[in-house]
Amino acid sequence: QVHLVESGGGVVQTGGSLRLSCVTDGYTFQSAMGWFRRAPGKEREFVAGINWSGQSISYADSVKGRFTMARDNGFNTMYLQMNRLRPDDTAVYYCHSVITANLERPRDGSWGQGTQVTVSS
């Protein structure tokens, strides 16, 4: 069973920043990885994806220019720096392995608990 542990969420005001982290096992981290989110009453959506080397990164249009994704393969950890947060960024954020050829598509497998991000207006 894959273990994905997300952390770093919290409550911030509009315009604030948060940095999310995701730690997983070394086998899973050999894959391209992505961040997804699920807002209340909405479907899960893609946020950002990164290939193994970190040289290819894709962002959803809604977060481009505000969010930055990075990974540290030495520590099996990836990050999502979120700046200029808005109320519509409020959601539970999840990390998961993704398809290298399509960074927006999650691979099969279990999901972690996620981390709650709440942006107040």
Side-chain angles (χ1 to χ4, degrees), residues 17-40:
S17 298
L18 284 173
R19 187 192 195 205
L20 305 185
S21 298
C22 168
V23 180
T24 186
D25 60 272
Y27 177 77
T28 299
F29 212 69
Q30 293 177 21
S31 172
M33 298 293 295
W35 285 100
F36 298 82
R37 66 186 181 187
R38 187 192 297 272

Side-chain angles (χ1 to χ4, degrees), residues 15-84:
S17 298
L18 284 173
R19 187 192 195 205
L20 305 185
S21 298
C22 168
V23 180
T24 186
D25 60 272
Y27 177 77
T28 299
F29 212 69
Q30 293 177 21
S31 172
M33 298 293 295
W35 285 100
F36 298 82
R37 66 186 181 187
R38 187 192 297 272
K42 294 188 177 182
E43 297 287 321
R44 184 182 63 217
E45 65 174 0
F46 167 78
V47 176
I50 188 170
N51 70 344
W52 183 86
S53 69
Q55 293 183 341
S56 178
I57 306 176
S58 177
Y59 296 98
D61 288 342
S62 59
V63 307
K64 279 181 183 176
R66 301 188 299 122
F67 290 11
T68 302
M69 183 175 184
R71 64 187 294 162
D72 186 336
N73 291 341
F75 290 95
N76 298 335
T77 303
M78 67 178 190
Y79 307 96
L80 185 67
Q81 177 66 43
M82 306 187 296
N83 299 327
R84 291 187 282 141

